[in-house]
């Protein structure tokens, strides 16, 4: 009996230690992505400049020569790596929240798609995990579909960061890149565009479900020009992982944010999550709240080389209706009351 009790105690200790190790690995995996998002581009730029001033300048010079040669690769579908997309670190990243991907309809490999991802949140954590890694099984759920998460083109001017982003299948959110993928890269491509962008990130806060969409019609025009089907995607919980200071319209804080957004492409947000060692302190780590990304039913879009404003408005209204229906259908399944309404701005 004593031996059995000792064995049982050792097993319990093993599972406790394993659980603690896994939690620490989850924290590390999320921390590295947060630091990548916030400082990797600037840090790599300064490091490269520093190396140019040392005895190892030849290494930096070779990389810069390669950068010039490789400059247009992000605009031509990038250079994804299935090895990077399948790193174990992304599974720890997924389990920290956790993040789930829900499929509602099959997607034909003979078509191309534009996924409209909502809401932006602070960092678009659900968009990254679901479509730039294989942690939630996007390739198994949508066989034959190649997702490309579109992000700020300025990120691809940053050394090292650009290569890191491309390895996950991330591309610039500009017309050249999207035109290439949807017209010169065969079929079965899915461009994931976080439609609300920086403007939407300024209003994200826990408990609020709102999207910036009424005047965002460029993605619909692109879909019409290429005959790419539109797919609404809503991520329940994306706004819950960070707390943000919201500046009212007309305030000096909102004025500064809009100036940054206009001239640089992103809006500086004042936000916080939890601390590195305790969930009761403030820090840069997001709160471990579940994020569930639901991929809705595709809207069949005709190919119109020069769509009129009337065409764009018509399919845009269809898309908005489809997004609202998706939200209403799944909101109660993921913790929201039946009375919750999606606010479309």
């Amino acid at each position: 009996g004593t031996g059995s009790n000792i064995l049982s105690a050792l097993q319990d200790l093993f599972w406790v230690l394993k659980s603690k190790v896994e939690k620490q690995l989850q924290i590390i995996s999320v921390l590295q992505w947060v630091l990548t998002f916030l400082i990797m581009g600037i840090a790599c730029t300064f490091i490269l400049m520093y190396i140019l001033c040392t005895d190892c300048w030849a290494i930096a010079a070779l990389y810069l020569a390669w950068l010039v040669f490789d400059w247009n690769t992000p605009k031509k579908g990038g250079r994804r790596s299935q090895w990077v997309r399948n790193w174990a670190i992304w599974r720890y990243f997924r389990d920290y929240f956790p993040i789930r991907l829900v499929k509602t309809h099959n997607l034909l490999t003979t078509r191309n798609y534009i996924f409209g991802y909502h809401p932006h949140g602070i960092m678009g954590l659900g968009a990254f995990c679901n479509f730039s890694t294989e942690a939630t099984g996007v390739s198994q759920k949508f066989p034959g579909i190649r997702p490309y998460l579109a992000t700020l083109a300025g990120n691809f001017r940053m050394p090292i960061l650009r290569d890191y982003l491309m390895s996950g299948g991330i591309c610039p959110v500009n017309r050249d890149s999207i035109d290439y993928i949807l017209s010169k890269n065969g079929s079965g491509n899915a461009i994931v565009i976080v439609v609300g962008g920086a403007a939407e990130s300024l209003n994200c806060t826990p408990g609020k479900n709102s999207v910036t969409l009424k005047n965002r019609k460029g993605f619909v025009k692109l879909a019409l020009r290429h005959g790419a089907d539109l797919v609404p995607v809503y991520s329940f919980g994306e706004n819950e992982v960070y707390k943000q200071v919201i500046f009212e319209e007309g305030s000096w804080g909102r004025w500064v944010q809009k100036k940054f957004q206009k001239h640089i492409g992103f809006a500086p947000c004042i936000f916080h999550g939890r601390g590195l060692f305790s969930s009761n302190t403030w820090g840069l780590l997001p709160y471990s709240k579940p994020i569930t990304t639901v991929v809705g039913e595709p809207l069949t879009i005709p190919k119109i080389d020069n769509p009129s404003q009337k065409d764009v408005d018509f399919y845009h209204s269809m898309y908005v209706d489809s997004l609202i229906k998706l939200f209403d259908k799944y909101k109660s399944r993921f913790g929201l009351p039946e009375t919750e309404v999606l606010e479309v701005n």
Side-chain angles (χ1 to χ4, degrees):
T2 303
S4 178
N5 290 336
I6 293 173
L7 180 60
S8 178
L10 288 174
Q11 288 177 333
D12 291 342
L13 179 62
F14 170 78
W15 288 114
V16 168
L17 291 174
K18 182 180 179 183
S19 177
K20 288 184 176 180
V21 169
E22 287 185 346
K23 188 61 181 177
Q24 292 306 312
L25 289 172
Q26 291 169 12
I27 289 173
I28 291 169
S29 68
V30 175
L31 179 62
Q32 68 84 26
W33 170 245
V34 170
L35 294 177
T36 296
F37 184 89
L38 294 176
I39 66 171
M40 183 177 178
I42 296 173
C44 288
T45 301
F46 279 109
I47 291 170
L48 197 66
M49 292 172 62
Y50 171 76
I51 294 175
L52 279 171
C53 300
T54 68
D55 293 339
C56 298
W57 64 268
I59 296 174
L62 284 172
Y63 178 80
L64 288 173
W66 161 253
L67 195 62
V68 172
F69 174 78
D70 195 55
W71 190 253
N72 289 322
T73 298
K75 298 178 183 178
K76 297 180 179 180
R79 187 170 47 247
R80 74 174 54 216
S81 166
Q82 286 302 116
W83 175 65
V84 173
R85 287 175 61 90
N86 282 286
W87 277 353
I89 195 172
W90 306 132
R91 294 193 289 276
Y92 290 112
F93 183 98
R94 171 199 66 196
D95 294 340
Y96 172 86
F97 296 94
I99 295 174
R100 290 179 56 211
L101 179 65
V102 176
K103 169 186 175 181
T104 63
H105 290 79
N106 291 325
L107 299 180
L108 299 175
T109 57
T110 55
R111 301 284 293 174
N112 283 324
Y113 301 91
I114 293 180
F115 286 16
Y117 184 92
H118 314 269
H120 183 286
I122 296 293
M123 296 185 185
L125 294 164
F128 168 76
C129 184
N130 286 307
F131 301 112
S132 294
T133 80
E134 294 297 331
T136 56
V138 63
S139 293
Q140 287 72 44
K141 287 183 170 69
F142 300 102
I145 301 297
R146 294 181 298 277
Y148 293 85
L149 177 60
T151 188
L152 290 175
N155 289 326
F156 296 89
R157 302 187 188 103
M158 302 283 190
I160 310 301
L161 175 64
R162 67 188 292 278
D163 302 287
Y164 189 40
L165 295 178
M166 282 194 293
S167 67
I170 300 177
C171 68
V173 62
N174 58 32
R175 180 170 171 175
D176 289 343
S177 176
I178 294 172
D179 282 347
Y180 183 91
I181 292 170
L182 294 180
S183 64
K184 299 179 181 178
N185 202 41
S187 60
N189 302 292
I191 304 284
V192 183
I193 300 177
V194 186
V195 178
E200 191 172 84
S201 69
L202 296 178
N203 295 313
C204 71
T205 187
K208 186 173 183 179
N209 288 283
S210 67
V211 297
T212 301
L213 183 56
K214 282 184 179 179
N215 297 317
R216 299 294 176 110
K217 300 181 180 181
F219 73 106
V220 178
K221 189 172 184 179
L222 281 169
L224 286 165
R225 288 181 59 244
H226 294 285
D229 294 348
L230 288 171
V231 182
V233 179
Y234 196 85
S235 230
F236 294 90
E238 185 72 62
N239 285 345
E240 307 299 316
V241 296
Y242 280 110
K243 296 178 181 178
Q244 180 183 189
V245 177
I246 304 293
F247 293 102
E248 297 295 329
E249 289 291 340
S251 67
W252 68 270
R254 183 54 64 99
W255 180 84
V256 170
Q257 289 176 322
K258 287 188 173 182
K259 286 296 181 182
F260 264 84
Q261 179 189 337
K262 180 179 178 180
H263 297 292
I264 302 178
F266 73 91
C269 301
I270 299 177
F271 65 92
H272 74 84
R274 53 155 289 183
L276 181 60
F277 302 107
S278 172
S279 59
N280 297 320
T281 58
W282 288 10
L284 290 177
L285 278 176
Y287 294 103
S288 52
K289 304 286 187 180
I291 298 174
T292 305
T293 302
V294 184
V295 180
E297 181 178 4
L299 297 173
T300 302
I301 303 296
K303 188 177 187 302
I304 304 175
D305 291 333
N306 294 296
S308 65
Q309 190 59 49
K310 185 178 179 180
D311 293 326
V312 173
D313 291 342
F314 175 74
Y315 285 102
H316 181 267
S317 66
M318 284 182 62
Y319 177 85
V320 173
D321 290 342
S322 181
L323 177 64
I324 292 172
K325 288 178 182 177
L326 179 70
F327 178 84
D328 289 340
K329 182 176 180 179
Y330 288 93
K331 61 186 178 184
S332 61
R333 300 189 193 183
F334 304 117
L336 297 178
E338 282 290 347
T339 55
E340 185 72 19
V341 175
L342 179 63
E343 181 183 331
V344 180
N345 300 312

